[in-house]
């Protein structure tokens, strides 16, 4: 009886703690958005949708999980869009949301609460993009493998570097100083370069 | 020939253009999906809060009524007050933490947002840990005492000569269980791979998850610190 009473009384706290370990974004928690704002959001998303996929690809190797991750990004972008105030560029904003969702996803792998709605129902088909990444050449594959060896924070830095952002722009996404970004990027570049060279030198010609 | 990371960057960006044409977005379908969800504004959190409040109301009402009737009987008043306080605190903490998760702004810079998530996580893990450890104590003997007295009018303290000792031993065991459970769960950290849920539970009681979250906060702080100055 003791165990039963305790279990009963702490059930909600347990449930919430587990959810916190996996604070999945429920489809029921979609925010209201007027049709005009929805249209505006979708128009902007159309021009930046590849960002979601690229970030997802770097943080999640499993194809099914990646679908879930892109869906979470999409939903979170939509939820956050009402707060978008143009103080930063939309591309910076969407990178922030995508990287934040990806890191949260990355840190709770294995304990996620899956949604059952397929991404296709949201009108986003990423199968062709998956195929494109599958067809990557040796260099890109080697680079991806090296990036997979980085932790979640440095992975964001190198992604933004590869995307062509400068230090100030990366600093705006990541939230550290531009000088810190420069130093870290240079170190990461040296490290990845050395690892890349070692890897390619070891390959048969 | 050795490729530099800058060459790889160009290759990366070239693929970006292909990606742009590969990804297909059905704007109409997405728009419909979004507008369909229009009525579900923050429904999950609100429903969760409502459910929890509805669940707590009978307990709060019962304890409140019981406290009012036993103000002059500390042997019953104290357990009822503790149970009432436990219920109120847990309800308030859960609603507050659920609100904090709901209000997270994912468009904040990475370091700031990840730090906030981790602090909320620590607060919730701590709540879970102490809800369990204090709950196993309060929702046994104190609850049974209050329940029997409140519903049946039975004073368990006097039902037999053995009962006061039984109650005292159980309370002592409940108190001793708190450090024992923390110690025991620390021993089980990382040893229950076959049962991830139970492992998660013991990690929570041992405070292992809190240590991991603190470790990530420290990592964020190091990341934020200016490496050039070191």
């Amino acid at each position: 009886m003791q165990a039963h009473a305790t279990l009963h009384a702490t059930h909600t706290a347990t449930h919430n703690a587990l959810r916190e370990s996996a604070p999945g974004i429920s489809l029921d928690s979609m925010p209201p958005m007027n049709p005009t704002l929805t249209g505006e959001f979708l128009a902007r998303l159309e021009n930046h949708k590849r960002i979601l996929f690229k970030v997802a690809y770097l943080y999640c190797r499993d194809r099914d999980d990646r679908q879930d991750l892109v869906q979470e990004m999409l939903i979170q972008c939509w939820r956050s869009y009402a707060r978008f105030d143009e103080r930063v560029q939309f591309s910076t904003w969407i990178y922030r949301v995508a990287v934040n969702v990806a890191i949260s996803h990355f840190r709770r792998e294995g304990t996620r609460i899956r949604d059952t709605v397929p991404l296709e129902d949201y009108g986003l088909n990423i199968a062709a993009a998956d195929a494109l990444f599958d067809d990557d050449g040796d260099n890109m594959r080697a680079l991806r493998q090296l990036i997979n060896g980085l932790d979640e924070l440095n992975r964001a830095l190198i992604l933004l570097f590869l995307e062509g952002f400068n230090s100030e722009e990366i600093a705006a996404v990541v939230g550290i100083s531009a000088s810190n970004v420069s130093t870290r990027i240079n170190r990461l570049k040296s490290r990845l370069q050395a690892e890349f060279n070692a890897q390619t030198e070891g390959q048969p010609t | 020939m050795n490729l530099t990371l800058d060459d790889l960057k160009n290759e990366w960006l070239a693929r970006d253009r292909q990606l742009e044409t590969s990804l297909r977005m059905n704007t109409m379908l997405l728009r419909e999906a979004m507008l369909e969800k229009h009525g579900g504004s923050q429904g999950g959190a609100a429903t969760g809060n409502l459910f929890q409040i509805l669940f707590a109301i009978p307990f709060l009402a019962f304890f409140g009524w019981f406290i009012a009737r036993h103000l002059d009987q500390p042997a019953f008043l104290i357990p009822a007050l503790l149970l009432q306080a436990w219920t109120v605190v847990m309800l308030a903490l859960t609603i507050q933490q659920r609100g904090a998760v709901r209000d997270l702004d994912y468009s904040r810079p990475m370091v700031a947002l990840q730090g906030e998530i981790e602090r909320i996580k620590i607060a919730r893990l701590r709540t879970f840990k102490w809800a369990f450890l204090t709950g196993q104590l309060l929702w046994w003997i104190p609850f049974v005492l209050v329940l029997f007295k409140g519903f049946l009018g039975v004073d368990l303290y006097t039902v037999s000569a053995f009962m006061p000792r039984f109650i005292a031993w159980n309370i002592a065991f409940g108190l001793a269980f708190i450090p024992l459970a923390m110690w025991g769960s620390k021993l089980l950290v990382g040893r229950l791979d076959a049962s991830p849920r139970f492992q998660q539970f013991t990690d929570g009681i041992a405070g292992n998850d809190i240590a991991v979250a603190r470790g990530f906060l420290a990592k964020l702080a190091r990341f934020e610190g200016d490496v050039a100055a070191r």
Side-chain angles (χ1 to χ4, degrees):
Chain A
M1 183 171 174
Q2 180 179 17
H4 177 74
T6 304
L7 201 64
H8 194 55
T10 57
H11 168 78
T12 313
T14 309
H15 177 74
N16 289 330
L18 294 177
R19 269 193 71 85
E20 171 49 30
S21 301
I25 299 154
S26 163
L27 295 179
D28 296 332
S29 62
M30 291 264 189
M33 204 181 266
N34 66 50
T36 313
L37 205 59
T38 306
E40 181 190 303
F41 169 71
L42 288 173
R44 285 181 140 155
L45 183 69
E46 173 67 47
N47 295 327
H48 296 84
K49 58 186 185 295
R50 67 187 186 286
I51 292 172
L52 304 184
F53 185 80
K54 281 189 291 187
V55 176
Y57 209 92
L58 269 200
Y59 279 90
C60 186
R61 277 183 280 179
D62 180 83
R63 200 175 291 259
D64 292 334
D65 273 356
R66 194 156 56 239
Q67 293 250 350
D68 290 351
L69 177 55
V70 172
Q71 182 184 294
E72 282 188 26
M73 288 174 178
L74 190 62
I75 294 167
Q76 200 52 260
C77 281
W78 181 28
R79 292 188 69 190
S80 303
Y81 188 66
R83 301 189 222 196
F84 177 60
D85 57 6
E86 313 272 353
R87 273 189 293 182
V88 291
Q89 289 189 333
F90 187 74
S91 59
T92 303
W93 179 87
I94 203 167
Y95 267 109
R96 278 184 183 173
V97 178
V99 167
N100 276 322
V101 174
I103 291 176
S104 298
H105 177 98
F106 182 84
R107 299 203 68 241
R108 64 175 190 264
E109 257 179 8
T111 57
R112 295 191 60 253
I113 297 166
R114 278 169 178 273
D115 283 325
T116 53
V117 182
L119 189 59
E120 286 77 12
D121 285 7
Y122 279 80
L124 198 62
N125 184 351
I126 64 171
D130 266 332
L132 179 69
F133 275 69
D134 290 343
D135 289 342
D136 264 346
D138 290 344
N139 290 337
M140 283 291 103
R141 281 173 189 272
L143 179 61
R144 272 212 322 264
Q145 205 175 333
L146 293 176
I147 293 173
N148 283 339
L150 297 175
D151 69 12
E152 63 273 54
L153 305 178
N154 284 315
R155 215 178 274 205
L157 282 182
I158 210 69
L159 166 73
L160 294 164
F161 161 76
L162 289 168
E163 291 292 296
F165 283 103
N166 63 35
S167 296
E168 281 78 18
E169 289 165 332
I170 296 176
V173 175
V174 172
I176 60 178
S177 69
S179 64
N180 197 356
V181 169
S182 300
T183 313
R184 287 188 180 279
I185 293 276
N186 283 333
R187 287 183 185 178
L188 279 172
K189 277 171 72 177
S190 305
R191 177 181 154 189
L192 290 178
Q193 186 71 60
E195 288 176 7
F196 183 79
N197 291 345
Q199 209 174 72
T200 48
E201 277 163 19
Q203 279 177 358
T205 51
Chain B
M1 186 187 85
N2 265 347
L3 279 170
T4 68
L5 211 59
D6 289 303
D7 297 325
L8 291 172
K9 182 175 164 181
N10 293 332
E11 208 170 317
W12 179 280
L13 290 171
R15 191 189 53 192
D16 207 42
R17 287 184 283 278
Q18 288 175 277
L19 186 62
E20 180 64 48
T21 52
S22 301
L23 270 175
R24 288 187 302 278
M25 189 174 102
N26 184 333
T27 308
M28 281 298 288
L29 199 59
L30 192 53
R31 184 185 175 87
E32 275 171 26
M34 287 176 169
L35 293 175
E36 263 175 31
K37 294 285 179 185
H38 183 87
S41 165
Q42 296 174 352
T47 308
N49 286 343
L50 184 66
F51 174 77
Q52 200 155 357
I53 290 167
L54 287 175
F55 182 77
I57 281 174
F59 289 94
L60 293 171
F62 171 63
F63 295 142
W65 167 82
F66 188 89
I67 288 164
R69 287 174 61 106
H70 296 85
L71 287 171
D72 55 347
Q73 292 175 271
F76 290 107
L77 178 67
I78 291 168
L81 278 172
L82 289 171
L83 285 161
Q84 182 80 313
W86 190 96
T87 309
V88 169
V89 169
M90 289 306 155
L91 183 65
L93 283 175
T94 310
I95 290 174
Q96 183 250 324
Q97 288 161 3
R98 189 179 286 135
V101 170
R102 186 197 57 214
D103 294 341
L104 281 172
D105 178 5
Y106 276 75
S107 62
R108 289 180 68 200
M110 182 185 86
V111 169
L113 192 269
Q114 294 301 324
E116 194 182 343
I117 288 176
E118 226 52 26
R119 281 185 284 276
I120 294 172
K121 187 177 193 170
I122 288 171
R124 295 187 75 163
L125 288 167
R126 205 174 273 153
T127 302
F128 162 66
K129 176 181 168 177
W130 288 106
F132 176 78
L133 291 174
T134 56
Q136 59 80 29
L137 177 65
L138 286 175
W139 289 88
W140 171 225
I141 289 293
F143 181 63
V144 171
L145 282 170
V146 169
L147 193 71
F148 271 70
K149 181 71 171 151
F151 276 118
L152 306 171
V154 176
D155 180 351
L156 286 180
Y157 288 109
T158 58
V159 81
S160 83
F162 171 70
M163 275 312 274
R165 260 184 295 164
F166 177 78
I167 291 168
W169 273 108
N170 266 280
I171 290 173
F173 178 79
L175 285 169
F177 178 81
I178 294 174
L180 278 174
M182 289 165 75
W183 175 76
S185 53
K186 271 181 187 154
L187 288 181
L188 292 172
V189 167
R191 293 184 184 181
L192 295 168
D193 291 344
S195 176
R197 280 282 176 193
F198 193 60
Q199 181 69 77
Q200 196 176 7
F201 174 76
T202 53
D203 282 357
I205 301 302
N208 194 44
D209 290 343
I210 295 175
V212 171
R214 281 201 188 119
F216 187 63
L217 276 180
K219 184 176 172 179
L220 282 173
R222 286 195 300 277
F223 187 79
E224 201 174 6
D226 199 344
V227 283
R230 286 179 204 158

